[in-house]
Amino acid sequence: MPFVELSALTNFTFLTGASHPEEMVLRAAGMGMAAIAVADVNSVAGIVRAHTKARELARDGGPRVRLIPAARVVLADGFQVTCLPRDRAGWGRLCRLLSLGRLRAVKGDCRLDLADLLEWGEGMELLVLAPDQRLTLAMAGEGMEPKRWRAHVARLVARFPGQVSLALAPRYDGQDQGRFQRLSRAASALGVPTVATALPFLHHGRRRRLADVLTAIRLGVPVDRLGRKALPNNEGRLRSEGEMLRLFAGHEAAVARAGEVAARAGFSLDELQYEYPSEVSGGESAAQRLARLAEAGLDRRYPEGVPDRVHAQMAHELELIARLRYEPYFLTVRDIVDFARARGILCQGRGSAANSVVCYALGVTSVSPEIGTMVFERFISEARNEPPDIDVDFEHERREEVIQHIYEKYGRHRAGLCATVIHYRGKRAVREVGRAMGLSEDTLAAMSSQIWGWGGPGAMTETRLKEIGLDPADPRLAQTLQLIDEIQGFPRHLSQHVGGFIITEGRLDELVPVENATMEDRTVIPWDKDDIDTLKILKVDVLALGMLSCIRKAFDLLERHHHQHFTLATLPPEDPETYRMLCRADSLGVFQVESRAQMNFLPRMKPKCFYDLVIQVAIIRPGPIQGDMVHPFLRRRNGQEKVSFPSDELGRVLGKTLGVPLFQEQAMQIAIVGAGFSPDEADRLRRSLATFKKHGSVSEFSDRFIGGMLAKGYDEDFARRCFAQIEGFGSYGFPESHAASFALLVYASAWVKRHHPGIFACALLNSQPMGFYAPAQIVRDAREHGVTVLPPCIQASHWDNRMEWLNRPEKAPELALRLGFRQIKGIAEEEARWISGARGNGYQTVEDVWRRAGVTPAILARLAEADAFAALGLSRRDALWAAEALAEGAPLPLFADDLDGEGITEPAVHFREMTLGEAVVEDYVAMRLTLRAHPMALLRPWLDAA
């Protein structure tokens, strides 16, 4: 049978393989190979990408190449075997085997022994590698002891008759024929056939230099010092059948047997039938339960009666959900949100889910889909035939409770987080490749400083190099720049997704291997969100948002001090005072509109209603800015320019935004309506936006897009601006539904700030770190809004900042903000809780705090430096003196008691009172803020005199 490569190593064996999985598939197709097995070391992280490329080739009319999913299993004692599943059951066992090894070890490692392989190896083709086989052609250790290796093979043959083959792989060292003869005799003695493989780790020989750079990065040494760990040649590349027959002269049968093994390894990733948890409860089917909960939720959302249009929309959505059998997915998300709300954790769905009446009725989203202009099919489409994607934001401080609840409910064998592939981009590529090539740290720092954003191939131009004093003609530098460009987009390692959960009805670890994350009590799968989308696997995004923590804390304070109960859905809508505050750009700390760019735009935008906030959130983004859409929109909004549409059909797309495309969906609709893209082409364009940062693939559509718009009679300038906007969305852009969900949080945070500025500042300080502004700026802004801010106090403060009522003679009670111990540098939460817990009726002295709370003198010194003992009548210096007098541990025996006749009384120490300037400086040193005077106020007399 024709030759098939059965063990190709890719760059998902991180810092070892020097070719992308897609490149291996393309090269195999160019060689006329019918199939190729991608087999990375103890991993299947790259196979979905190879599978996707093979499908794209077939779809576009190219040569058909079948991907054989495989893994090169390396046991703890060095025994190596490539495992190729024969069927779906074999794939499940391979995933269980890899999960077993990964879960035993720390992140990135795998610990397996022969017993594990014997237990889980059924249903696979087992291609045993030579005892001294290396991952690449570079010199390595001695490998396994031959006698032990033969014993391992014999046990595999006895356990799995008919499944085991012995791999013959060339090393291009002039000794291959002798080696093949020895291995053939060993195979004959063990009763197994030989199979030829090139064990490629390069798709093309030109990647040899990059492979050496990867080795240097992995080993932490420059390329110049790799010695025999560098590749001796570029022969470790993918080989065609003709090349293999030449290399294996005299062993042609082994070459033919590779095709036979490939034929038996018939499993395809297309066979993976993902099953979502059934979510059947109390005798109700998932469909019945979803319909009941949605109807009840709709009645709750519209207490004065559900509009007919909303009822009709929900019926349409439920019908489509039923046809696609997605009811369990919605129920899972609803149950997760329900759990969070029962625990008092604020949460809100966003993204395209905001287009769904069902999500709104279930309480997953808080914004009525009537506000937007998009339809449910943006969220779920029968034509697109892809799973829905619901993003739910939770309070950033309490999201872990939700994550652990999912693990507890479904079990770690049924739930896991997606991976995120960390790729080489920009500055990382410069730093790591530059070090490997022996460039100095100063040179690397200068080169990195010239890269903006994510960088990319060609980011370092000759002009920029000359500007920093480097010679572009220098051979070493030129070679380094070439390698930096070549490594762009290479995977560096796997990280965990910010919150994408995969949940299954059966065992997740039979669908995909599961491994430990770096974070404790987290398990992840090796596939990222693009891989999941390709295989049509549903994921639930459990995300963290700091502003939700802030708003929830503000709601708690409102209930505690004003007895007002609010949720995101019950805040007073369309409050004019809130909009007037935003028109003044008084938005420090307000979600999404606190940046200088947003503050600059607010007085020009003059938001007067909720949909204005939707536009405000979306417009200050690279998409609209890069597409030069901001100023035309403002001119039209202010009546300075006539509202017009390039055509009636685009008028329907752009009507709500005055003929100017601002949202991601509008850019996609322009591609379909204006440029004549097919739904499939538009979907590929949409996906390229999601992966733009990694691969920079949006520009591939430029000619097709602009040509399509010109063919339909649109102005070339308008077409180019539209495409520039699409490219901007590749960096960062907002869909309308996403902006609507965020706009609700803009309104909620702005409403609290306008009507309760003290509570807003308190909640914001207690949710730090987050946002643009430091505590000093938040406190100053609160005082400018009339809030009384009190300093940290040993008698009154707790860990968190708190609101307290001030009752002063002849004045109305006032709610003031008391700074907490969390504002003091060097104070841990546990220490602060000991202090407040032992306080009782109050402390008398510094020593009293030390004795009752059990904190160390160092902590007391930190409190003294922050002037927290002022309530005891102690100045900052007096308190610090008292704290320093408290020695750590027991006193030395000689000084434990007064010496006979030597009673010593220390004279009192009197310190000079600090000046205002000294006190301000010490406040900033201790707390990074001051309540005394602005530093510039101290210099004002000199400035005025000048």
Side-chain angles (χ1 to χ4, degrees), residues 832-911:
R833 297 203 184 282
W834 277 111
I835 292 169
S836 57
R839 182 182 292 140
N841 292 325
Y843 295 112
Q844 305 301 314
T845 64
V846 174
E847 185 178 0
D848 193 24
V849 182
W850 177 57
R851 180 170 45 81
R852 287 162 56 184
V855 295
T856 64
I859 296 296
L860 295 174
R862 296 278 190 180
L863 292 166
E865 288 164 354
D867 205 14
F869 292 102
L872 302 184
L874 295 172
S875 71
R876 184 181 255 126
R877 284 171 171 161
D878 289 332
L880 189 57
W881 182 261
E884 295 291 353
L886 300 171
E888 295 271 10
L892 295 171
L894 180 62
F895 303 105
D897 300 299
D898 285 344
L899 299 176
D900 291 341
E902 298 284 343
I904 299 171
T905 303
E906 264 192 56
V909 178
H910 300 284
F911 294 101

Side-chain angles (χ1 to χ4, degrees), residues 134 136-141 228-230 232:
R134 314 159 193 151
T136 70
L137 297 177
M139 291 296 293
R228 300 184 75 182
K229 292 176 182 175

Side-chain angles (χ1 to χ4, degrees), residues 85-269:
R86 290 178 170 177
D87 50 28
R88 176 64 181 87
W91 170 257
R93 282 188 284 272
L94 176 59
C95 291
R96 293 286 294 273
L97 173 68
L98 295 175
S99 300
L100 185 68
R102 292 282 184 179
L103 293 172
R104 280 180 186 156
V106 296
K107 177 185 178 291
D109 202 0
C110 184
R111 206 163 58 242
L112 290 167
D113 55 36
L114 184 64
D116 301 319
L117 186 56
L118 291 170
E119 181 179 358
W120 294 104
E122 188 177 344
M124 291 183 259
E125 289 292 325
L126 302 174
L127 189 61
V128 176
L129 275 59
D132 55 350
Q133 186 62 56
R134 314 159 193 151
L135 294 183
T136 70
L137 297 177
M139 291 296 293
E142 293 300 316
M144 279 191 77
E145 195 271 318
K147 186 175 180 182
R148 181 179 174 83
W149 176 82
R150 281 194 294 272
H152 278 23
V153 179
R155 291 186 65 186
L156 281 179
V157 172
R159 175 72 177 83
F160 304 116
Q163 290 182 224
V164 183
S165 305
L166 180 58
L168 302 183
R171 294 191 195 163
Y172 314 101
D173 57 359
Q175 302 177 43
D176 282 341
Q177 284 301 321
R179 190 178 294 114
F180 293 161
Q181 293 290 351
R182 288 195 300 276
L183 287 172
S184 296
R185 287 195 296 271
S188 179
L190 290 164
V192 296
T194 56
V195 175
T197 171
L199 293 183
F201 53 92
L202 313 170
H203 78 289
H204 194 285
R206 62 173 175 267
R207 280 285 168 82
R208 174 192 171 186
R209 289 186 307 171
L210 184 58
D212 284 338
V213 168
L214 292 170
T215 302
I217 294 171
R218 188 178 76 248
L219 300 178
V221 299
V223 170
D224 294 345
R225 290 170 48 198
L226 279 178
R228 300 184 75 182
K229 292 176 182 175
L231 292 177
N233 49 52
N234 64 356
E235 300 292 340
R237 60 185 183 273
L238 188 63
R239 300 284 181 169
S240 66
E241 182 177 31
E243 290 177 293
M244 291 297 285
L245 289 171
R246 177 177 57 79
L247 290 169
F248 285 84
H251 299 274
E252 289 82 358
V255 177
R257 275 194 288 270
E260 296 169 9
V261 171
R264 293 196 296 271
F267 170 71
S268 166
L269 290 180

Side-chain angles (χ1 to χ4, degrees), residues 571-586 606-610 612-613 747 750-751 754-755:
L571 278 173
E574 303 294 65
D575 176 55
E577 288 297 318
T578 300
Y579 288 115
R580 276 196 285 272
M581 181 189 77
L582 290 174
C583 289
R584 297 192 301 271
D586 183 5
K606 298 184 181 67
K608 296 181 179 65
C609 64
F610 183 78
D612 287 349
L613 294 183
Y747 180 81
W751 185 90
R754 170 61 187 84
H755 295 284

